[in-house]
Amino acid sequence: MTAQLINGKEISQQRLAAVAAAVEKRAAAGLHTPCLAVILVGDNPASAVYVRNKKLACQKSGIESLSYELPASTTQDELLKLVDELNSNPKVDGILVQLPLPEHIDSQVVLETILPHKDVDGFHPYNVGRLVVKMPLMRPCTPKGVMTLLESYGVDPKGKKAVVVGASNIVGRPQALELLLSRATVTVCHSATQNLAEEVAQADILVVGVGIPNFVKGEWIKPGAIVIDVGINRLADGSLCGDVEFDVAKERAGMITPVPGGVGPMTIATLLENTLHAAELHD
Ligand code: GUN
Protein backbone atom coordinates (compact mmCIF):
# COMPACT_ATOMS: atom_id res chain seq x y z
CA MET A 1 0.00 0.00 0.00
CA THR A 2 1.24 3.48 -0.76
CA ALA A 3 0.28 6.18 1.72
CA GLN A 4 -1.87 9.18 0.91
CA LEU A 5 0.32 12.29 0.89
CA ILE A 6 -0.68 15.02 3.33
CA ASN A 7 -0.36 18.21 1.33
CA GLY A 8 0.74 20.88 3.78
CA LYS A 9 1.40 23.35 1.01
CA GLU A 10 -2.21 23.22 -0.15
CA ILE A 11 -3.71 23.41 3.35
CA SER A 12 -1.36 26.25 4.31
CA GLN A 13 -2.44 28.22 1.22
CA GLN A 14 -6.08 27.80 2.23
CA ARG A 15 -5.27 29.01 5.74
CA LEU A 16 -3.26 31.99 4.44
CA ALA A 17 -6.16 32.91 2.16
CA ALA A 18 -8.47 32.83 5.19
CA VAL A 19 -6.07 35.10 7.11
CA ALA A 20 -5.90 37.49 4.14
CA ALA A 21 -9.71 37.62 3.98
CA ALA A 22 -9.91 38.34 7.72
CA VAL A 23 -7.30 41.11 7.41
CA GLU A 24 -9.32 42.71 4.60
CA LYS A 25 -12.50 42.44 6.63
CA ARG A 26 -10.76 44.18 9.53
CA ALA A 27 -9.65 47.02 7.24
CA ALA A 28 -13.22 47.42 5.90
CA ALA A 29 -14.43 47.64 9.52
CA GLY A 30 -11.83 50.33 10.30
CA LEU A 31 -9.73 48.04 12.50
CA HIS A 32 -5.94 48.21 12.47
CA THR A 33 -3.72 46.12 10.18
CA PRO A 34 -2.11 43.26 12.14
CA CYS A 35 1.63 43.79 12.57
CA LEU A 36 4.33 41.20 13.28
CA ALA A 37 7.85 42.12 14.42
CA VAL A 38 10.45 39.52 13.45
CA ILE A 39 13.89 39.52 15.09
CA LEU A 40 16.82 37.56 13.68
CA VAL A 41 20.15 37.61 15.50
CA GLY A 42 23.28 36.34 13.75
CA ASP A 43 23.74 34.64 10.42
CA ASN A 44 22.40 31.11 10.77
CA PRO A 45 21.52 30.33 7.11
CA ALA A 46 18.49 28.13 7.92
CA SER A 47 17.08 30.83 10.24
CA ALA A 48 17.58 33.45 7.53
CA VAL A 49 15.49 31.32 5.11
CA TYR A 50 12.73 30.77 7.70
CA VAL A 51 12.59 34.48 8.53
CA ARG A 52 12.46 35.42 4.84
CA ASN A 53 9.57 32.99 4.29
CA LYS A 54 7.73 34.37 7.32
CA LYS A 55 8.05 37.93 6.01
CA LEU A 56 6.91 36.87 2.50
CA ALA A 57 3.85 35.16 3.96
CA CYS A 58 3.03 38.37 5.88
CA GLN A 59 3.16 40.33 2.62
CA LYS A 60 0.91 37.83 0.85
CA SER A 61 -1.74 37.96 3.54
CA GLY A 62 -1.73 41.72 4.11
CA ILE A 63 -0.08 41.53 7.53
CA GLU A 64 2.48 44.23 8.17
CA SER A 65 5.93 43.00 9.16
CA LEU A 66 8.77 44.83 10.88
CA SER A 67 12.15 43.23 10.43
CA TYR A 68 15.12 43.45 12.80
CA GLU A 69 18.27 41.72 11.57
CA LEU A 70 20.94 42.08 14.23
CA PRO A 71 24.59 41.03 14.19
CA ALA A 72 25.74 37.91 16.08
CA SER A 73 27.64 40.25 18.44
CA THR A 74 24.36 41.74 19.76
CA THR A 75 24.35 41.57 23.56
CA GLN A 76 21.51 40.10 25.58
CA ASP A 77 20.79 43.53 27.07
CA GLU A 78 20.51 45.08 23.60
CA LEU A 79 18.10 42.36 22.52
CA LEU A 80 16.02 42.71 25.71
CA LYS A 81 15.84 46.47 25.14
CA LEU A 82 14.48 45.92 21.61
CA VAL A 83 11.90 43.42 22.89
CA ASP A 84 10.84 45.92 25.57
CA GLU A 85 10.38 48.63 22.94
CA LEU A 86 8.28 46.32 20.80
CA ASN A 87 6.25 45.27 23.87
CA SER A 88 5.29 48.87 24.47
CA ASN A 89 4.78 49.79 20.81
CA PRO A 90 0.96 49.80 20.36
CA LYS A 91 1.32 49.22 16.62
CA VAL A 92 3.00 45.83 17.13
CA ASP A 93 0.66 42.88 17.69
CA GLY A 94 3.13 40.00 17.59
CA ILE A 95 6.83 39.55 18.37
CA LEU A 96 8.88 36.63 17.06
CA VAL A 97 12.50 36.04 18.03
CA GLN A 98 13.90 33.42 15.66
CA LEU A 99 15.66 30.55 17.44
CA PRO A 100 18.37 29.45 17.92
CA LEU A 101 19.99 32.57 19.37
CA PRO A 102 23.79 32.93 19.63
CA GLU A 103 25.18 31.03 22.60
CA HIS A 104 25.98 34.12 24.70
CA ILE A 105 22.26 34.96 24.86
CA ASP A 106 19.92 33.08 27.22
CA SER A 107 16.95 32.41 24.96
CA GLN A 108 14.64 31.60 27.87
CA VAL A 109 15.24 35.05 29.38
CA VAL A 110 14.47 36.66 26.02
CA LEU A 111 11.32 34.59 25.43
CA GLU A 112 10.04 35.44 28.92
CA THR A 113 10.48 39.14 28.20
CA ILE A 114 7.94 39.07 25.36
CA LEU A 115 4.47 40.04 26.60
CA PRO A 116 2.35 36.86 26.60
CA HIS A 117 -0.37 38.36 24.39
CA LYS A 118 2.29 39.36 21.81
CA ASP A 119 4.02 35.98 22.05
CA VAL A 120 2.88 34.60 18.67
CA ASP A 121 5.27 31.63 19.04
CA GLY A 122 3.52 30.55 22.26
CA PHE A 123 6.87 29.90 23.95
CA HIS A 124 6.39 32.12 27.04
CA PRO A 125 5.86 29.95 30.16
CA TYR A 126 2.51 31.73 30.67
CA ASN A 127 1.33 30.46 27.29
CA VAL A 128 2.82 27.01 27.89
CA GLY A 129 0.95 26.87 31.21
CA ARG A 130 -2.31 27.94 29.61
CA LEU A 131 -1.94 25.13 27.08
CA VAL A 132 -1.36 22.64 29.92
CA VAL A 133 -4.65 23.63 31.59
CA LYS A 134 -6.51 23.55 28.27
CA MET A 135 -7.09 27.31 28.19
CA PRO A 136 -4.69 28.29 25.40
CA LEU A 137 -3.97 31.92 24.54
CA MET A 138 -1.13 31.53 22.00
CA ARG A 139 -0.35 27.99 20.82
CA PRO A 140 3.12 27.08 19.45
CA CYS A 141 2.98 27.24 15.66
CA THR A 142 4.40 23.90 14.54
CA PRO A 143 2.33 21.66 16.85
CA LYS A 144 -0.81 23.72 16.20
CA GLY A 145 -0.11 23.47 12.45
CA VAL A 146 0.16 19.69 12.80
CA MET A 147 -3.26 19.60 14.51
CA THR A 148 -4.69 21.69 11.66
CA LEU A 149 -3.28 19.20 9.14
CA LEU A 150 -4.78 16.24 11.01
CA GLU A 151 -8.16 17.96 11.20
CA SER A 152 -8.03 18.92 7.51
CA TYR A 153 -7.53 15.27 6.60
CA GLY A 154 -10.34 14.08 8.86
CA VAL A 155 -8.05 12.49 11.46
CA ASP A 156 -9.50 12.69 14.98
CA PRO A 157 -6.81 11.81 17.55
CA LYS A 158 -9.44 10.90 20.19
CA GLY A 159 -8.82 7.37 21.46
CA LYS A 160 -5.83 6.84 19.17
CA LYS A 161 -2.33 5.93 20.28
CA ALA A 162 -0.07 8.89 19.45
CA VAL A 163 3.70 8.70 19.69
CA VAL A 164 5.81 11.85 19.61
CA VAL A 165 9.52 11.39 18.94
CA GLY A 166 11.49 14.37 20.28
CA ALA A 167 10.82 16.41 23.42
CA SER A 168 11.92 19.92 22.47
CA ASN A 169 10.16 23.02 23.78
CA ILE A 170 9.37 24.05 20.19
CA VAL A 171 7.93 20.79 18.87
CA GLY A 172 7.80 17.61 20.97
CA ARG A 173 6.48 18.80 24.34
CA PRO A 174 3.76 21.13 23.04
CA GLN A 175 2.86 18.54 20.38
CA ALA A 176 2.31 15.94 23.09
CA LEU A 177 0.06 18.41 24.95
CA GLU A 178 -1.93 19.22 21.82
CA LEU A 179 -2.52 15.51 21.15
CA LEU A 180 -3.43 14.93 24.80
CA LEU A 181 -5.94 17.81 24.65
CA SER A 182 -7.43 16.08 21.60
CA ARG A 183 -7.80 12.98 23.78
CA ALA A 184 -5.16 10.76 22.22
CA THR A 185 -3.16 8.40 24.43
CA VAL A 186 0.28 9.95 24.13
CA THR A 187 3.80 8.57 24.48
CA VAL A 188 6.77 10.93 24.25
CA CYS A 189 10.11 9.44 23.16
CA HIS A 190 13.46 11.17 23.65
CA SER A 191 17.16 10.47 23.75
CA ALA A 192 16.86 8.32 26.90
CA THR A 193 14.03 6.19 25.49
CA GLN A 194 14.82 2.49 25.26
CA ASN A 195 13.43 0.38 22.42
CA LEU A 196 12.42 3.32 20.27
CA ALA A 197 11.43 1.01 17.43
CA GLU A 198 8.93 -0.77 19.71
CA GLU A 199 7.40 2.53 20.82
CA VAL A 200 7.12 3.83 17.26
CA ALA A 201 5.48 0.57 16.17
CA GLN A 202 2.57 1.27 18.57
CA ALA A 203 1.66 4.57 16.95
CA ASP A 204 -1.61 5.18 15.12
CA ILE A 205 -0.37 8.77 14.85
CA LEU A 206 3.39 9.35 14.78
CA VAL A 207 4.92 12.82 15.00
CA VAL A 208 8.70 13.07 14.64
CA GLY A 209 10.75 16.20 15.37
CA VAL A 210 14.37 15.43 16.22
CA GLY A 211 16.36 17.14 13.46
CA ILE A 212 18.25 14.00 12.36
CA PRO A 213 17.87 12.87 8.73
CA ASN A 214 16.03 9.53 8.31
CA PHE A 215 16.18 8.89 12.08
CA VAL A 216 12.94 6.89 12.20
CA LYS A 217 13.15 3.83 10.01
CA GLY A 218 10.28 3.05 7.67
CA GLU A 219 10.08 -0.55 8.82
CA TRP A 220 9.25 0.54 12.40
CA ILE A 221 5.98 2.08 11.30
CA LYS A 222 2.67 0.36 12.00
CA PRO A 223 0.86 -0.40 8.73
CA GLY A 224 -1.78 2.27 8.13
CA ALA A 225 -0.31 4.77 10.62
CA ILE A 226 -0.51 8.53 10.10
CA VAL A 227 3.05 9.84 9.91
CA ILE A 228 3.85 13.50 10.48
CA ASP A 229 7.48 14.43 9.84
CA VAL A 230 8.46 17.78 11.36
CA GLY A 231 12.15 17.49 10.43
CA ILE A 232 13.68 19.65 7.71
CA ASN A 233 17.30 18.58 7.20
CA ARG A 234 19.60 19.82 4.48
CA LEU A 235 21.86 17.10 3.08
CA ALA A 236 25.37 17.57 1.67
CA ASP A 237 24.00 17.55 -1.90
CA GLY A 238 21.75 20.52 -1.00
CA SER A 239 18.50 18.51 -1.00
CA LEU A 240 16.06 18.48 1.93
CA CYS A 241 14.92 15.43 3.84
CA GLY A 242 12.85 14.73 6.92
CA ASP A 243 13.47 12.77 10.13
CA VAL A 244 11.56 9.74 8.78
CA GLU A 245 12.90 7.36 6.15
CA PHE A 246 10.26 8.47 3.67
CA ASP A 247 10.65 5.96 0.82
CA VAL A 248 10.12 2.95 3.08
CA ALA A 249 7.62 4.67 5.40
CA LYS A 250 5.30 5.67 2.56
CA GLU A 251 4.82 2.00 1.65
CA ARG A 252 3.56 1.20 5.18
CA ALA A 253 1.81 4.37 6.39
CA GLY A 254 -1.82 5.23 5.70
CA MET A 255 -0.98 8.93 5.34
CA ILE A 256 2.34 10.73 5.44
CA THR A 257 3.68 14.29 5.17
CA PRO A 258 6.39 14.92 2.55
CA VAL A 259 9.48 17.05 3.24
CA PRO A 260 9.39 19.71 1.92
CA GLY A 261 5.72 20.60 1.51
CA GLY A 262 4.34 18.99 4.67
CA VAL A 263 4.60 20.59 8.10
CA GLY A 264 6.95 23.48 7.12
CA PRO A 265 4.38 25.65 5.35
CA MET A 266 1.87 24.96 8.14
CA THR A 267 4.21 26.49 10.74
CA ILE A 268 4.20 29.74 8.79
CA ALA A 269 0.45 29.76 8.14
CA THR A 270 -0.14 29.17 11.86
CA LEU A 271 2.20 32.03 12.77
CA LEU A 272 0.01 34.36 10.72
CA GLU A 273 -3.16 32.96 12.31
CA ASN A 274 -1.58 33.65 15.70
CA THR A 275 -0.66 37.19 14.62
CA LEU A 276 -4.26 37.80 13.53
CA HIS A 277 -5.41 36.41 16.88
CA ALA A 278 -2.98 38.74 18.69
CA ALA A 279 -4.38 41.70 16.72
CA GLU A 280 -7.90 40.71 17.77
CA LEU A 281 -6.75 40.64 21.40
CA HIS A 282 -5.46 44.22 20.97
CA ASP A 283 -8.68 45.64 19.42
N1 GUN B 1 13.27 27.99 15.17
C1 GUN B 1 12.81 26.81 14.70
N2 GUN B 1 11.45 26.78 14.77
C2 GUN B 1 11.06 27.96 15.29
C3 GUN B 1 9.79 28.52 15.59
O1 GUN B 1 8.71 27.92 15.40
N3 GUN B 1 9.81 29.77 16.11
C4 GUN B 1 10.98 30.44 16.36
N4 GUN B 1 10.88 31.66 16.88
N5 GUN B 1 12.17 29.95 16.09
C5 GUN B 1 12.21 28.72 15.55
Side-chain angles (χ1 to χ4, degrees):
M1 187 186 73
T2 299
Q4 180 184 3
L5 281 187
I6 297 179
N7 190 339
K9 201 168 167 195
E10 181 184 51
I11 305 296
S12 71
Q13 279 164 357
Q14 292 167 6
R15 305 297 284 213
L16 285 177
V19 170
V23 170
E24 264 185 38
K25 204 166 151 203
R26 288 177 60 82
L31 296 168
H32 74 278
T33 303
C35 175
L36 173 67
V38 179
I39 304 174
L40 173 64
V41 186
D43 38 28
N44 179 315
S47 291
V49 172
Y50 295 141
V51 162
R52 193 177 65 224
N53 289 339
K54 286 170 184 178
K55 289 189 293 196
L56 277 174
C58 282
Q59 267 171 24
K60 279 192 202 152
S61 54
I63 287 180
E64 194 176 333
S65 70
L66 302 176
S67 181
Y68 299 86
E69 293 183 8
L70 309 177
S73 58
T74 303
T75 65
Q76 181 164 311
D77 280 350
E78 286 165 341
L79 182 55
L80 293 179
K81 187 162 168 279
L82 173 59
V83 171
D84 270 336
E85 281 165 18
L86 296 169
N87 277 341
S88 48
N89 183 342
K91 192 175 136 64
V92 172
D93 296 299
I95 302 170
L96 179 140
V97 179
Q98 186 66 28
L99 302 176
L101 287 168
E103 280 197 357
H104 64 276
I105 298 179
D106 183 336
S107 54
Q108 203 55 34
V109 170
V110 176
L111 296 176
E112 290 186 30
T113 304
I114 299 172
L115 283 176
H117 61 280
K118 294 194 178 190
D119 169 34
V120 283
D121 260 324
F123 294 159
H124 191 291
Y126 175 85
N127 281 318
V128 177
R130 290 202 66 120
L131 187 62
V132 172
V133 296
K134 207 173 182 172
M135 294 176 68
L137 179 74
M138 291 292 171
R139 293 160 60 190
C141 300
T142 298
K144 184 181 168 196
V146 168
M147 300 314 285
T148 304
L149 272 186
L150 293 176
E151 196 188 339
S152 303
Y153 277 79
V155 178
D156 181 359
K158 183 177 171 188
K160 296 207 168 58
K161 176 102 175 101
V163 175
V164 178
V165 181
S168 69
N169 287 339
I170 295 178
V171 179
R173 279 172 221 267
Q175 188 68 70
L177 277 171
E178 288 281 0
L179 288 160
L180 177 62
L181 297 185
S182 292
R183 312 210 56 225
T185 301
V186 184
T187 300
V188 185
C189 301
H190 43 76
S191 53
T193 297
Q194 298 184 10
N195 300 323
L196 179 64
E198 265 173 44
E199 300 292 347
V200 167
Q202 302 295 313
D204 301 312
I205 300 173
L206 175 68
V207 183
V208 185
V210 290
I212 303 172
N214 301 317
F215 180 72
V216 167
K217 301 303 168 207
E219 66 185 18
W220 299 351
I221 286 161
K222 178 171 166 177
I226 290 139
V227 178
I228 307 288
D229 190 347
V230 179
I232 306 178
N233 307 292
R234 194 166 290 281
L235 301 179
D237 67 3
S239 64
L240 292 177
C241 88
D243 292 349
V244 178
E245 193 188 22
F246 182 81
D247 287 346
V248 184
K250 80 174 193 317
E251 300 304 325
R252 291 176 70 89
M255 295 184 192
I256 190 166
T257 55
V259 177
V263 175
M266 292 306 296
T267 297
I268 296 183
T270 308
L271 171 67
L272 300 202
E273 290 179 339
N274 283 358
T275 305
L276 175 64
H277 180 46
E280 289 164 354
L281 292 173
H282 295 173
D283 286 339

